[in-house]
Amino acid sequence: MNAIVSIRDVVKEYQLGTTVVQALRGVSLEVQKGEFLSIAGPSGSGKTTLLNLIGCVDTATRGVVEVAGKDTAKLSERELTDLRLNTIGFIFQSFNLVSVLTLFQNVEFPLLLQRKLGAKERRDKVMQLLEQVGLHTHAKHRPSELSGGQRQRVAVARALVTDPLLVLADEPTANLDSTTGNQIIDLMKTLNQQKGTTFIFSTHDHKVMQHANAVIRLADGKVLERVSAREAVEHALSLGEAPQAEARA
Amino acid sequence: MLIQIAWRNLLASPINLIIGGLILAGTFLFVVVGGLLDSLNDAMARSVVGSVAGHIQLYSSKSKDELALYGGMGGDQDLSAVTEFPRIKQTLEQLDNVKEVVPMGSSGALITAGNIVDVTLERLRNLYKAREGQLDDPRLRDLSREELDARITATRRHVRQIIRVLEADQKKAQAILQAEAIDPEVVAAVERVSKDAFWHDFEKDTWGSLEFLENKIAPQVTDAQLMFLRYLGTDLDRFQESFDRMQIVDGTKVPKGQRGFLIAKLMYEDQMKLKNARRLDKLKDARANGRLIATDDELKRFVKENRAQTRDLVLQLDDLKTAEATKRLQGYLQSTEGDLTALLSAFFDTTDANLEDRHRFFYEQLAPLVELYRVRIGDTLTIKAFSKGGAIQAVNVRVYGTFAFTGLEKSPLAGGTSLMDLMSFRDLYGYLTADKKEELAQLQRDTGARAVNRENAEDALFGEGNTVVAEATPGIIDEDKTFTGAGRRLREDDLVKRVYTEAEINGGVVLNAAVMLKDASRLSETLATINATASAQQLEIKAVSWQQASGILGQVINFFRGVLILAVLFIFGIAMVIINNAMMMATIQRTQTIGTMRAIGAQRSLILTMVLTESGVLGMIFGGVGILLGSAAMAWLHAKGIPAPNDVAYFFFSGPRLLPELSTTNLVVALVIIFLVTLLSTLFPAVIATRISPLRAMQADE
Ligand SMILES: Nc1ncnc2c1ncn2[C@@H]1O[C@H](COP(=O)(O)OP(=O)(O)OP(=O)(O)O)[C@@H](O)[C@H]1O
Ligand SMILES: [Mg+2]
């Protein structure tokens, strides 16, 4: 079985005061190993919610979420944390580097949490990844000394340093201009192809979308369809979503 | 890595400097003030232990009051007598850590030193009485008729000189005061006794003449002085051995086993020395300490008093000595002034420039003409106690010398208590020793139990060269009824010369006792052993540490310690609140960072450790600096020493300077305090931090 993520009939409800908001209304989804998958959909359609469930930082109200063959509902907080550490890499919309640490230390951080490698091995691994994202010359710099694109590359390096099975990225390009955003997606794609790491990212941007192998279209908390990137882009253009996405970027 | 995160976080926020400052101040304060208090405590321990108390004090468990060696809240304490001292001493001295048990009892006597006129007249009366064979005074007993005559002549000259001074005083008064203010009877009396005729016919009616002088003239001089003499009755030999800081200053120690009195040197100087001389000494001392007469109000006052109060000195001189003193002063001052009072007043007008020389001149040229002290070494001091029943108990004790405790020479607390042998002390309290009982019985048979009336007793008390009568405060135990029959012979020199054995000295009652230990650090342990032994063997005593025994004094340090603890608690309390708030803010600010860490796989425990490490680093750095600065300050103080600001402080400093010592306990306690403070104040924010959800990583920072 190659499914890295398997989601069945997932419902996620949020309590907003007295009313209950259904962010996801029965989502089912399978993601295969090595996919470069985009999640698309209008604002409020539940993209972030879905990624949080896959990323084990939140739990479903109903339904089953399996990540790397494990039913996340059956894991303890501690085990979920370990699952995140060892199986999943995160890339955030606002980069989320630790500002008091150098780039090197930021990338090294997950390895330290893992406590698997010695100092020398860690060093090699971190430097190798920094080189892959083209920032090995800046290893001793602080995040504040970098541009947004550079920071997001460091975040990519951090997400991949533990060799995760799966990397999740919620709108990784939303805080970048489109050129830089594309470079980041290119970087991700390259790594996807080199290492076979599965990527799932959400986006509004059809330019970003078109790099994906497949696109899951969400609307109103439901999966509309799973389409190819080309189909998805065309659909998005026909709905006039592009200008909106452009405006956001 | 965590330490690095903590360190960098700390650098990022200026509030950490404030927190650090507080921790630093608190630690510094604790180390320095705590160290000072400890040193003060040690010094005071040395003072108290080394001067009176010993390490442990024993007193009767039946006592109503608690023992307070330096006086409690309300006057004299009501202590029961310890009746079985020999057994107690024997039992306790077998205990492992006990070196010596020294018996004690303390009381006070009001000394009514008659004024110089009274004393001189009394002396004259006694000399006449001795010549008539009416007085059997040991000091006059062996004088020949010629010697007595010579003494009478000399004393008469002295009285005439006194009258001359009074006459001069009167003339001055007449010049200043209005006529009504002057009593014509007094004028007439002075006039009468200043005439040669009075003295020519003196011996026609010796007793009448004396009475006239005593009734009409003596009351004109009213500067008699009351002195309070506190004394400690003890086994003098043991005392001297056990309290090795005690040093004889003048005279000698009391011969082994004999009765005797040793006056505390400070008391001797302050109360018994001629005031003018004492003030000159104090001026010299003050000058040596860098104080200036020109600018110092107290010193100015001394000079003023010295100039105005020369009477004591003048009245001491008979006509020959007056002439001699006048001559010497005229020479020294290059003056033609003929009046001694005026000359003295000029002489005592000391300035910063001439003080040194005048002090020297005074001791070389004037002091030999007068008695510098009211009580001389070798005098016999008569101390009287009026018991509850109103009967007089009086003992004669010979003053062998003065003493002081090394380092505490200037301390009024250590130097305020004189020492008396235990036998005399018991006599004053009405505790009868076996030999005394025997003697009393004999006396009663001899005299037919004649009651002593007060006047007779006083007659007996004044002897040649003995100018002091002390009245002890009432004994707390009713005297043996037989004592009311005591005749005056009891107070005479047979007793003074007797040598008592150790068994006799220990054999009676005592009020309290000092226990000297071999190893002072085991005090509380030994204290417990003693109390346990005491109750097991029914010794009927209570043992207390020197701190407890020193009454209010012992509380002083505890009081300061309390203040320190409050101050430190206050500072650290504030620090805790501030640290708590700052860490809360820091945590909230770092919500996204912490959320991110959680999202990418950091366990809660790691977040907890991270936040705690942060304040731990803060506490260690600033606390460490505080400890270092504190230690440095202490080292500096130790090298320099803190001079005692006043005489009272000598006692607390156990000498003229306090050399503070830093104890490791204090440092350890300081570290523990820092540790607790930082831990407690960070615990809450740290727990909050662990509750931050990884979801927060997805949300932008507000
Ligand atoms: N913590 C929450 N509490 C309450 N409602 C929430 C919460 N998070 C999301 N929702 C609601 O769930 C729905 C789905 O939100 P979600 O953030 O998943 O949408 P999205 O597709 O990521 O939108 P966007 O493109 O704007 O990021 C929305 O209606 C939103 O208001
Ligand atoms: Mg979203």
Short mmCIF file of all heavy atoms in Angstrom, two decimals, chain B residues 84-134:
data_model
loop_
_atom_site.label_atom_id
_atom_site.label_comp_id
_atom_site.label_asym_id
_atom_site.label_seq_id
_atom_site.Cartn_x
_atom_site.Cartn_y
_atom_site.Cartn_z
N GLU B 84 21.61 23.20 95.37
CA GLU B 84 22.47 22.02 95.38
C GLU B 84 23.62 22.17 94.42
O GLU B 84 23.92 21.28 93.63
CB GLU B 84 21.65 20.79 94.98
CG GLU B 84 20.77 20.29 96.09
CD GLU B 84 20.28 18.90 95.76
OE1 GLU B 84 19.41 18.79 94.88
OE2 GLU B 84 20.81 17.95 96.32
N PHE B 85 24.25 23.32 94.47
CA PHE B 85 25.27 23.58 93.47
C PHE B 85 26.37 22.53 93.39
O PHE B 85 26.74 22.11 92.29
CB PHE B 85 25.86 24.98 93.65
CG PHE B 85 26.86 25.31 92.60
CD1 PHE B 85 26.44 25.50 91.29
CD2 PHE B 85 28.22 25.36 92.88
CE1 PHE B 85 27.36 25.75 90.29
CE2 PHE B 85 29.13 25.62 91.88
CZ PHE B 85 28.70 25.80 90.58
N PRO B 86 26.91 22.07 94.54
CA PRO B 86 28.00 21.09 94.43
C PRO B 86 27.60 19.86 93.64
O PRO B 86 28.37 19.37 92.80
CB PRO B 86 28.29 20.74 95.88
CG PRO B 86 27.81 21.92 96.66
CD PRO B 86 26.63 22.44 95.91
N ARG B 87 26.38 19.37 93.87
CA ARG B 87 25.95 18.17 93.15
C ARG B 87 25.79 18.48 91.66
O ARG B 87 26.17 17.68 90.80
CB ARG B 87 24.61 17.68 93.74
CG ARG B 87 24.17 16.33 93.16
CD ARG B 87 23.16 15.66 94.06
NE ARG B 87 21.82 16.20 93.95
CZ ARG B 87 20.91 15.75 93.08
NH1 ARG B 87 21.20 14.74 92.29
NH2 ARG B 87 19.71 16.29 93.02
N ILE B 88 25.24 19.66 91.39
CA ILE B 88 25.06 20.06 89.99
C ILE B 88 26.40 20.14 89.28
O ILE B 88 26.59 19.59 88.20
CB ILE B 88 24.34 21.43 89.93
CG1 ILE B 88 22.92 21.27 90.43
CG2 ILE B 88 24.37 21.99 88.52
CD1 ILE B 88 22.24 22.57 90.76
N LYS B 89 27.32 20.81 89.94
CA LYS B 89 28.65 20.99 89.34
C LYS B 89 29.29 19.63 89.07
O LYS B 89 29.79 19.37 87.98
CB LYS B 89 29.53 21.82 90.30
CG LYS B 89 30.91 22.15 89.75
CD LYS B 89 31.64 23.07 90.74
CE LYS B 89 33.14 23.15 90.45
NZ LYS B 89 33.47 24.07 89.36
N GLN B 90 29.20 18.78 90.08
CA GLN B 90 29.82 17.47 89.94
C GLN B 90 29.18 16.67 88.80
O GLN B 90 29.86 16.11 87.95
CB GLN B 90 29.67 16.71 91.26
CG GLN B 90 30.67 15.60 91.40
CD GLN B 90 30.21 14.57 92.41
OE1 GLN B 90 29.15 14.71 93.04
NE2 GLN B 90 31.00 13.53 92.57
N THR B 91 27.84 16.67 88.79
CA THR B 91 27.13 15.90 87.76
C THR B 91 27.45 16.41 86.36
O THR B 91 27.76 15.65 85.47
CB THR B 91 25.61 15.99 87.99
OG1 THR B 91 25.35 15.76 89.37
CG2 THR B 91 24.88 14.97 87.15
N LEU B 92 27.34 17.72 86.22
CA LEU B 92 27.49 18.28 84.87
C LEU B 92 28.92 18.22 84.36
O LEU B 92 29.15 18.05 83.17
CB LEU B 92 26.96 19.72 84.83
CG LEU B 92 25.47 19.87 85.10
CD1 LEU B 92 25.04 21.30 84.87
CD2 LEU B 92 24.64 18.93 84.23
N GLU B 93 29.86 18.36 85.27
CA GLU B 93 31.25 18.35 84.80
C GLU B 93 31.67 16.97 84.33
O GLU B 93 32.72 16.81 83.71
CB GLU B 93 32.19 18.91 85.88
CG GLU B 93 32.12 20.43 85.89
CD GLU B 93 33.04 21.10 86.91
OE1 GLU B 93 33.74 20.38 87.64
OE2 GLU B 93 33.05 22.34 86.95
N GLN B 94 30.83 15.97 84.62
CA GLN B 94 31.13 14.64 84.08
C GLN B 94 30.67 14.50 82.63
O GLN B 94 31.07 13.58 81.93
CB GLN B 94 30.44 13.57 84.93
CG GLN B 94 31.29 13.18 86.13
CD GLN B 94 30.50 12.45 87.18
OE1 GLN B 94 29.36 12.06 86.95
NE2 GLN B 94 31.09 12.27 88.33
N LEU B 95 29.82 15.43 82.22
CA LEU B 95 29.32 15.34 80.84
C LEU B 95 30.47 15.60 79.87
O LEU B 95 31.38 16.38 80.16
CB LEU B 95 28.20 16.36 80.60
CG LEU B 95 26.91 16.09 81.36
CD1 LEU B 95 25.90 17.19 81.06
CD2 LEU B 95 26.34 14.74 81.00
N ASP B 96 30.32 14.98 78.74
CA ASP B 96 31.38 14.92 77.75
C ASP B 96 31.92 16.28 77.30
O ASP B 96 33.11 16.52 77.27
CB ASP B 96 30.81 14.06 76.60
CG ASP B 96 31.45 14.36 75.29
OD1 ASP B 96 32.68 14.42 75.29
OD2 ASP B 96 30.72 14.50 74.29
N ASN B 97 31.02 17.22 76.99
CA ASN B 97 31.49 18.47 76.39
C ASN B 97 31.62 19.62 77.40
O ASN B 97 31.91 20.75 77.04
CB ASN B 97 30.53 18.86 75.26
CG ASN B 97 31.08 19.95 74.37
OD1 ASN B 97 32.30 20.10 74.25
ND2 ASN B 97 30.20 20.73 73.78
N VAL B 98 31.38 19.33 78.67
CA VAL B 98 31.41 20.40 79.67
C VAL B 98 32.81 20.54 80.24
O VAL B 98 33.41 19.57 80.71
CB VAL B 98 30.41 20.10 80.81
CG1 VAL B 98 30.55 21.11 81.92
CG2 VAL B 98 29.00 20.10 80.26
N LYS B 99 33.34 21.77 80.17
CA LYS B 99 34.68 22.00 80.68
C LYS B 99 34.62 22.41 82.15
O LYS B 99 35.36 21.91 82.97
CB LYS B 99 35.36 23.09 79.86
CG LYS B 99 36.84 23.21 80.12
CD LYS B 99 37.56 23.89 78.96
CE LYS B 99 37.29 25.38 78.94
NZ LYS B 99 37.87 26.06 77.79
N GLU B 100 33.71 23.32 82.46
CA GLU B 100 33.72 23.90 83.79
C GLU B 100 32.35 24.50 84.09
O GLU B 100 31.69 25.03 83.20
CB GLU B 100 34.78 25.02 83.81
CG GLU B 100 34.87 25.80 85.09
CD GLU B 100 35.99 25.29 85.97
OE1 GLU B 100 37.13 25.26 85.50
OE2 GLU B 100 35.72 24.89 87.12
N VAL B 101 31.94 24.41 85.35
CA VAL B 101 30.72 25.07 85.77
C VAL B 101 31.10 26.11 86.81
O VAL B 101 31.67 25.77 87.85
CB VAL B 101 29.69 24.08 86.35
CG1 VAL B 101 28.41 24.80 86.73
CG2 VAL B 101 29.40 22.97 85.35
N VAL B 102 30.83 27.37 86.50
CA VAL B 102 31.24 28.46 87.39
C VAL B 102 30.01 29.05 88.09
O VAL B 102 29.09 29.52 87.43
CB VAL B 102 31.95 29.57 86.59
CG1 VAL B 102 32.46 30.64 87.52
CG2 VAL B 102 33.08 28.99 85.76
N PRO B 103 30.01 29.03 89.43
CA PRO B 103 28.85 29.53 90.17
C PRO B 103 28.76 31.06 90.11
O PRO B 103 29.78 31.73 90.03
CB PRO B 103 29.12 29.07 91.60
CG PRO B 103 30.60 29.00 91.69
CD PRO B 103 31.08 28.57 90.33
N MET B 104 27.55 31.57 90.17
CA MET B 104 27.38 33.02 90.04
C MET B 104 26.16 33.52 90.80
O MET B 104 25.32 32.75 91.24
CB MET B 104 27.16 33.40 88.58
CG MET B 104 28.36 33.26 87.73
SD MET B 104 27.98 33.73 86.05
CE MET B 104 29.63 33.65 85.38
N GLY B 105 26.07 34.80 90.88
CA GLY B 105 24.90 35.46 91.40
C GLY B 105 25.15 36.93 91.20
O GLY B 105 26.26 37.40 91.42
N SER B 106 24.17 37.66 90.70
CA SER B 106 24.47 39.05 90.50
C SER B 106 23.45 39.93 91.19
O SER B 106 22.31 39.55 91.41
CB SER B 106 24.52 39.37 89.01
OG SER B 106 23.24 39.31 88.46
N SER B 107 23.91 41.10 91.56
CA SER B 107 23.03 42.05 92.21
C SER B 107 23.63 43.43 92.02
O SER B 107 24.66 43.59 91.40
CB SER B 107 22.92 41.71 93.69
OG SER B 107 22.02 42.61 94.31
N GLY B 108 22.96 44.40 92.56
CA GLY B 108 23.49 45.74 92.44
C GLY B 108 23.41 46.46 93.77
O GLY B 108 22.61 46.10 94.63
N ALA B 109 24.29 47.43 93.96
CA ALA B 109 24.24 48.21 95.18
C ALA B 109 24.32 49.68 94.82
O ALA B 109 25.02 50.06 93.89
CB ALA B 109 25.41 47.85 96.08
N LEU B 110 23.54 50.46 95.55
CA LEU B 110 23.60 51.90 95.35
C LEU B 110 24.69 52.42 96.28
O LEU B 110 24.63 52.21 97.48
CB LEU B 110 22.25 52.50 95.71
CG LEU B 110 21.84 53.73 94.95
CD1 LEU B 110 21.98 53.53 93.45
CD2 LEU B 110 20.42 54.08 95.33
N ILE B 111 25.68 53.05 95.71
CA ILE B 111 26.75 53.55 96.56
C ILE B 111 26.46 55.01 96.88
O ILE B 111 26.27 55.82 95.99
CB ILE B 111 28.10 53.47 95.84
CG1 ILE B 111 28.36 52.04 95.39
CG2 ILE B 111 29.20 53.95 96.74
CD1 ILE B 111 29.68 51.90 94.69
N THR B 112 26.43 55.30 98.17
CA THR B 112 26.24 56.68 98.55
C THR B 112 27.58 57.19 99.03
O THR B 112 27.91 57.08 100.21
CB THR B 112 25.21 56.81 99.68
OG1 THR B 112 25.58 55.88 100.71
CG2 THR B 112 23.82 56.48 99.19
N ALA B 113 28.33 57.68 98.14
CA ALA B 113 29.61 58.24 98.51
C ALA B 113 29.33 59.61 99.08
O ALA B 113 28.87 60.49 98.39
CB ALA B 113 30.51 58.34 97.31
N GLY B 114 29.57 59.78 100.38
CA GLY B 114 29.29 61.05 101.01
C GLY B 114 30.15 62.12 100.36
O GLY B 114 31.17 61.83 99.74
N ASN B 115 29.71 63.39 100.48
CA ASN B 115 30.55 64.41 99.87
C ASN B 115 31.81 64.59 100.69
O ASN B 115 31.94 64.09 101.80
CB ASN B 115 29.78 65.72 99.68
CG ASN B 115 29.41 66.36 101.00
OD1 ASN B 115 30.25 66.50 101.88
ND2 ASN B 115 28.15 66.70 101.14
N ILE B 116 32.73 65.31 100.11
CA ILE B 116 34.07 65.38 100.68
C ILE B 116 34.05 65.97 102.11
O ILE B 116 34.83 65.58 102.96
CB ILE B 116 35.00 66.17 99.73
CG1 ILE B 116 36.46 66.12 100.20
CG2 ILE B 116 34.54 67.59 99.56
CD1 ILE B 116 37.14 64.85 99.83
N VAL B 117 33.11 66.89 102.34
CA VAL B 117 33.04 67.49 103.68
C VAL B 117 32.59 66.44 104.69
O VAL B 117 33.20 66.26 105.75
CB VAL B 117 32.06 68.69 103.69
CG1 VAL B 117 32.10 69.40 105.03
CG2 VAL B 117 32.39 69.64 102.57
N ASP B 118 31.51 65.74 104.34
CA ASP B 118 31.03 64.67 105.20
C ASP B 118 32.15 63.70 105.52
O ASP B 118 32.36 63.32 106.67
CB ASP B 118 29.91 63.88 104.49
CG ASP B 118 28.60 64.63 104.53
OD1 ASP B 118 28.43 65.43 105.48
OD2 ASP B 118 27.76 64.41 103.63
N VAL B 119 32.82 63.31 104.47
CA VAL B 119 33.83 62.28 104.63
C VAL B 119 34.97 62.77 105.50
O VAL B 119 35.44 62.07 106.39
CB VAL B 119 34.34 61.84 103.24
CG1 VAL B 119 35.56 60.96 103.38
CG2 VAL B 119 33.24 61.12 102.48
N THR B 120 35.40 63.99 105.26
CA THR B 120 36.51 64.52 106.05
C THR B 120 36.11 64.68 107.50
O THR B 120 36.87 64.35 108.42
CB THR B 120 36.98 65.87 105.45
OG1 THR B 120 37.04 65.73 104.04
CG2 THR B 120 38.33 66.26 105.97
N LEU B 121 34.89 65.16 107.72
CA LEU B 121 34.42 65.33 109.10
C LEU B 121 34.30 63.98 109.79
O LEU B 121 34.65 63.83 110.96
CB LEU B 121 33.07 66.06 109.11
CG LEU B 121 33.14 67.55 108.78
CD1 LEU B 121 31.74 68.14 108.68
CD2 LEU B 121 33.98 68.32 109.80
N GLU B 122 33.80 63.01 109.03
CA GLU B 122 33.65 61.67 109.57
C GLU B 122 35.01 61.11 109.99
O GLU B 122 35.16 60.50 111.03
CB GLU B 122 33.05 60.78 108.47
CG GLU B 122 32.48 59.48 108.97
CD GLU B 122 31.27 59.70 109.86
OE1 GLU B 122 30.32 60.39 109.40
OE2 GLU B 122 31.27 59.22 111.00
N ARG B 123 35.97 61.41 109.16
CA ARG B 123 37.32 60.92 109.44
C ARG B 123 37.84 61.57 110.73
O ARG B 123 38.42 60.91 111.59
CB ARG B 123 38.23 61.26 108.25
CG ARG B 123 39.60 60.61 108.33
CD ARG B 123 40.46 61.02 107.16
NE ARG B 123 39.86 60.65 105.88
CZ ARG B 123 40.23 61.19 104.72
NH1 ARG B 123 41.15 62.13 104.68
NH2 ARG B 123 39.66 60.80 103.59
N LEU B 124 37.59 62.86 110.82
CA LEU B 124 38.05 63.59 111.99
C LEU B 124 37.40 63.02 113.24
O LEU B 124 38.04 62.75 114.25
CB LEU B 124 37.69 65.08 111.83
CG LEU B 124 38.30 66.03 112.86
CD1 LEU B 124 39.83 65.95 112.85
CD2 LEU B 124 37.87 67.48 112.57
N ARG B 125 36.08 62.77 113.15
CA ARG B 125 35.34 62.23 114.28
C ARG B 125 35.92 60.86 114.69
O ARG B 125 36.14 60.61 115.87
CB ARG B 125 33.86 62.08 113.90
CG ARG B 125 32.98 61.53 115.00
CD ARG B 125 31.54 61.39 114.53
NE ARG B 125 30.79 62.64 114.61
CZ ARG B 125 30.15 63.04 115.72
NH1 ARG B 125 30.18 62.31 116.81
NH2 ARG B 125 29.49 64.17 115.72
N ASN B 126 36.17 60.03 113.72
CA ASN B 126 36.72 58.71 114.01
C ASN B 126 38.09 58.78 114.65
O ASN B 126 38.40 58.00 115.55
CB ASN B 126 36.80 57.86 112.72
CG ASN B 126 35.42 57.35 112.33
OD1 ASN B 126 34.51 57.33 113.15
ND2 ASN B 126 35.27 56.96 111.08
N LEU B 127 38.89 59.74 114.18
CA LEU B 127 40.23 59.89 114.76
C LEU B 127 40.12 60.27 116.23
O LEU B 127 40.82 59.74 117.09
CB LEU B 127 41.02 60.93 113.98
CG LEU B 127 41.52 60.46 112.60
CD1 LEU B 127 41.97 61.65 111.76
CD2 LEU B 127 42.67 59.46 112.76
N TYR B 128 39.22 61.22 116.51
CA TYR B 128 39.02 61.64 117.91
C TYR B 128 38.53 60.46 118.74
O TYR B 128 39.00 60.21 119.83
CB TYR B 128 38.01 62.79 117.99
CG TYR B 128 38.66 64.15 117.79
CD1 TYR B 128 38.26 65.00 116.77
CD2 TYR B 128 39.67 64.58 118.67
CE1 TYR B 128 38.83 66.24 116.58
CE2 TYR B 128 40.26 65.83 118.49
CZ TYR B 128 39.84 66.65 117.45
OH TYR B 128 40.42 67.88 117.29
N LYS B 129 37.57 59.73 118.16
CA LYS B 129 37.02 58.57 118.87
C LYS B 129 38.11 57.56 119.16
O LYS B 129 38.20 57.02 120.26
CB LYS B 129 35.95 57.88 118.02
CG LYS B 129 34.55 58.38 118.24
CD LYS B 129 33.63 57.46 117.48
CE LYS B 129 32.19 57.85 117.56
NZ LYS B 129 31.38 56.98 116.71
N ALA B 130 38.96 57.33 118.18
CA ALA B 130 40.03 56.35 118.34
C ALA B 130 40.96 56.80 119.46
O ALA B 130 41.42 56.00 120.26
CB ALA B 130 40.79 56.18 117.03
N ARG B 131 41.19 58.11 119.49
CA ARG B 131 42.10 58.63 120.51
C ARG B 131 41.50 58.43 121.90
O ARG B 131 42.21 58.19 122.87
CB ARG B 131 42.38 60.11 120.25
CG ARG B 131 43.63 60.59 120.97
CD ARG B 131 44.07 61.93 120.50
NE ARG B 131 43.17 63.00 120.93
CZ ARG B 131 43.40 64.29 120.73
NH1 ARG B 131 44.47 64.67 120.04
NH2 ARG B 131 42.56 65.21 121.13
N GLU B 132 40.19 58.54 121.97
CA GLU B 132 39.52 58.33 123.26
C GLU B 132 39.32 56.85 123.56
O GLU B 132 38.73 56.51 124.57
CB GLU B 132 38.13 58.99 123.25
CG GLU B 132 38.12 60.38 122.70
CD GLU B 132 38.08 61.45 123.77
OE1 GLU B 132 37.10 61.49 124.53
OE2 GLU B 132 39.05 62.22 123.84
N GLY B 133 39.70 56.03 122.60
CA GLY B 133 39.51 54.59 122.80
C GLY B 133 38.07 54.15 122.60
O GLY B 133 37.66 53.08 123.05
N GLN B 134 37.29 54.96 121.92
CA GLN B 134 35.88 54.62 121.72
C GLN B 134 35.64 53.82 120.43
O GLN B 134 34.54 53.36 120.18
CB GLN B 134 35.03 55.88 121.66
CG GLN B 134 34.86 56.56 122.98
CD GLN B 134 34.05 57.84 122.82
OE1 GLN B 134 33.39 58.03 121.82
NE2 GLN B 134 34.12 58.69 123.82
#
